Amino acid sequence: MRVAAGRSAAVVEGLWVSYRHTWRATLVSSFLSPLLFLLAIGVGLGARIDSGGPVEGLTYAAFVAPGLLAATCMQVATFEATYPVMAGIKWFGTYRSILATPVGVPDLVAGRVAWIALRLTAVAAVFMVVTIPFGVSSGPLAVLALPAAVLTGLAVAAPIEAWAASRDDEQGFVGLFRFVILPMFLFAGTFFPVSQLPDWLQPVAWITPLWHGTELTRGFMTGAPDPLVPLHLAVLLVLAVAGTLAATVTYRRRLEP
Amino acid sequence: MSTPPAEHPLIAARPTGTGPAVEAVGVVKRFGDFTAVAGIDFAVAPGETFGFLGPNGAGKSSTMRMVGCVSHPTEGTMRVLGRDPRRDGPEIRGRLGVVPQQDTLDGELTVMDNMYVYGRFFRLPRAEVRARSAELLEFVQLADRATAKVDELSGGMKRRLTIARALINRPELVLLDEPTTGLDPQARHLLWERLYRLRADGVTLVLTTHYMDEAEQLCDRLVIMDRGRIVAEGGPAELIRRHAARDVVELRLPAGAEPPSGVLEELADHVERLPDRVLLSTDDGDQTLAAVIGRGVAHERAVVRRATLEDVFLRLTGRTLVD
Amino acid sequence: MSTGLVVRVLPPALLGARRSALWVERQWVASRRIWLVLVSGAFEPLLYLLAIGVGVGALVGDVTYGGQPVPYASWVAPAMLAASAMNGAVYETTGNVFFRMRYSKVYDGALATPLEPRDLALGELIWALLRGAAYAVSFAVVMAVLGLMESWWSLLLVPAALLIGLAFAGLGLYAVTFMRSWTDLDLVQLVTLPLFLFSATFVPLDDYPAWAEPIVVVTPLYQGVALLRDLSLGSVGPATLGHVAYLVVLGLTGLALAGRRFSRMLVR
């Protein structure tokens, strides 16, 4: 497959133009929701938790903040990789008209992934800047939490994008959010250490992309990356790349049968 | 075309009573500053098929919504089936069948469930609704699509389903707002045929249309509406007789080759100049055409036809029905 | 009240209720095709209960309630039930109703029958409550299984959750009539998310800054959370009745206003 950077950039520009009409709808879920969670649970409930001692050596707010960052990227990316895909393929047919131009399927997929990466960068950057007063990030390595969170989102979004393009309708999306995304958000290390889960459940958490993403992001943000960084990176990169490749296949099957 | 069983219990043409099915006196409908209906009077007799003919924006749909008791006049009085829509809306609507201009089918339901749920809204017993739904789907030739989702239906099928749905409660009065707009000719004729059958069963039909052929084919009596007013009323043949000559000669003139003024006027009772053609109204089209040729009027094409309601509308308003 | 007045007032109200039941029946027929989505909706609050109540709860320890220490999971569970009742009612009466009112035209279809706009509003409200009741029952069962009910008053948790549903369904139905686009609809989240997070849901009211306390207390979800907590932790008193009254008044007011707005929107 060949990807032309210029043509992918054109795809990104197209997505940006349509986002300018809908951005307000994403304010709550992308920017406000993680902050409010941090305030209510990280700070509010954290005050009670901290009186019982640190969590994995951190204040509870410092523990939860990177978790929320990674999880928010996952949720935003999942949304971007589901409904807009159905809209492009089926509801509005925009992908077909895009492919009637010199843009090919690999350009389209690459452009979409790049677009999601841009969206996530904005989400992560705002979160990191706004949470500075909470003192939840420390050390120069904290800057790396941003790419880590973005990568987390892509590792989830790319395979989902491939899957979404193969769906006939949006019926499965609710199930995806309810049975895959929400359980990851709640149990893969965002709010409490995975070590608290029952023994049989811990391995399940370990194979989720969000756990790898959360560990990676938390390590950088708190200035103490754990020794498994290469493993986390490898898992997330493989998922993101394999998902993107798979998406070109499912896009082809759907749009160039 | 499948023929429904001989003893078709579809339509119990419930007699409407002695008074008019619909009666409007001085009805005005305004939306803010915009006047959709500017004072109209009409009465529909029980059992007749009554039409509103007019272009888009003439006020037909607003009138229909008021007859359907989902909108109330700003001024004037309206009585439907002898009752006051403002007070007895639910009771009146229980005796109406409504086919709105835009389909209001339930996209969350299948074809059969659309029939079922709608029938239940009239509080018909469940068993009766099921039996009647099956019959009516047969009537509109949709029986084989009973389990399909509404989205999967073509435009014509949706229209037919809407009509079947409107008949579920054995209505005494059926309102059809632009029933065939957007349909292909075949679907259109199928629909007309079904409407004839309803009329034959004695159901009172009130319809709007901007197709003059539809009005001519279906209506016993009609009013022509323009800009919220009624400009003429009568049977189709009567209206043509009263407001137009028997024949029309349509001439297509070569660009820039207008005959000297007055020439055409001498040959016809009335001359109507449209952007692309000239219409000559006359009692004998062939003779007039012969005269046109005899006078050496240059033309690219000439057609002789009978006058239609379109010509009536043109004569009365100076405008065409479909623009 | 004289019996004459009762006879005159009651029949239209009863007729309306009977017509609303027809809309509920429509909802039932429509839901058969999406039953999986509906059933799995019960799942979400349970996950929150496990993650926050049990998972984070292990870090929190006990909370003092009415002078007694209470395990965090028992303390937070009624709040989760209250939040789920709010979310369910709001979701059902805003997103779904918005779609039907602005896009799908099904209301217009129904209004060509004997149904009136206010019948639709009441029908939507009843449906939201029925759905909420199903979720509340499943949540209450899980609470019982996990041993999170501290009092026999907990038997009233489900009807009390329905009062929360009533209050928010009434509000939702009223609010939705003012929404013009999907972007407006997102404002709903802007209200429900802070309510979910800051209605003494996760930490006791005493933990809030002094200036915030009176604000929290007047919000409807706080009233619902407090009501359910009174029941499940067994400290029922006059204040409990106050919460009930608040929710009922709010719900009925919302419903009455919504009925009027539905008429103005749909019968023009």
Side-chain angles (χ1 to χ4, degrees), chain B residues 161-311:
Chain B
L161 177 56
T162 303
I163 289 178
R165 203 177 67 159
L167 298 177
I168 192 95
N169 59 325
R170 297 175 200 268
E172 295 162 53
L173 170 60
V174 179
L175 310 178
L176 303 120
D177 197 354
E178 303 279 353
T180 63
T181 297
L183 296 191
D184 60 46
Q186 204 185 345
R188 208 160 166 238
H189 282 280
L190 175 63
L191 249 178
W192 283 357
E193 193 267 334
R194 301 287 120 147
L195 294 180
Y196 286 134
R197 297 245 299 264
L198 291 179
R199 187 170 71 164
D201 285 337
V203 179
T204 309
L205 301 177
V206 175
L207 60 96
T208 75
T209 182
H210 63 271
Y211 297 122
M212 49 90 197
D213 54 341
E214 187 158 280
E216 276 170 38
Q217 292 268 349
L218 294 176
C219 296
D220 300 317
R221 210 155 56 82
L222 57 97
V223 293
I224 297 182
M225 281 190 83
D226 186 42
R227 300 173 206 241
R229 295 183 187 282
I230 291 176
V231 293
E233 181 186 340
E238 180 194 350
L239 281 170
I240 294 170
R241 212 167 40 239
R242 210 176 331 136
H243 297 285
R246 195 187 70 145
D247 288 348
V248 172
V249 179
E250 288 200 25
L251 293 179
R252 250 168 234 281
L253 304 177
E258 184 80 0
S261 72
V263 171
L264 293 177
E265 277 73 5
E266 269 174 41
L267 300 176
D269 302 345
H270 181 81
V271 178
E272 200 69 60
R273 288 166 206 277
L274 300 177
D276 58 336
R277 65 216 142 104
V278 176
L279 307 183
L280 309 180
S281 292
T282 165
D283 283 324
D284 188 336
D286 293 324
Q287 207 179 12
T288 304
L289 179 58
V292 167
I293 294 167
R295 294 286 290 267
V297 174
H299 58 274
E300 285 176 348
R301 279 181 65 189
V303 178
V304 177
R305 59 167 175 81
R306 285 298 177 110
T308 66
L309 287 171
E310 177 93 40
D311 300 302

Side-chain angles (χ1 to χ4, degrees), chain A residues 24-25 28-29 32-33 36-37 39-41 44-45 48-49 55 60 174 178-179 182-183 185-187 191-192 196, chain C residues 37 40-41 43-44 47-48 50-52 55-56 58-60 72 183 186 189-190 193-194 197-198 202-204 207:
Chain A
R24 259 183 310 164
V28 176
S29 55
L32 199 60
S33 167
L36 292 181
F37 266 91
L39 263 175
I41 301 197
L45 192 52
R48 284 181 169 259
I49 293 173
V55 180
Y60 187 66
V174 174
R178 215 163 249 169
F179 295 112
L182 184 68
F185 172 59
L186 291 173
F187 297 100
F191 293 106
F192 57 89
Q196 263 179 247
Chain C
V37 172
S40 68
F43 202 67
E44 255 179 64
L47 289 183
Y48 267 97
L50 289 175
I52 306 293
V56 178
L59 301 169
V60 181
Y72 186 70
T183 323
D186 292 305
Q189 254 195 82
L190 203 57
L193 185 66
L197 292 170
F198 300 106
F202 297 102
V203 293
D207 287 16

Side-chain angles (χ1 to χ4, degrees), chain C residues 199-210:
Chain C
S199 292
T201 340
F202 297 102
V203 293
L205 191 60
D206 301 341
D207 287 16
Y208 287 82

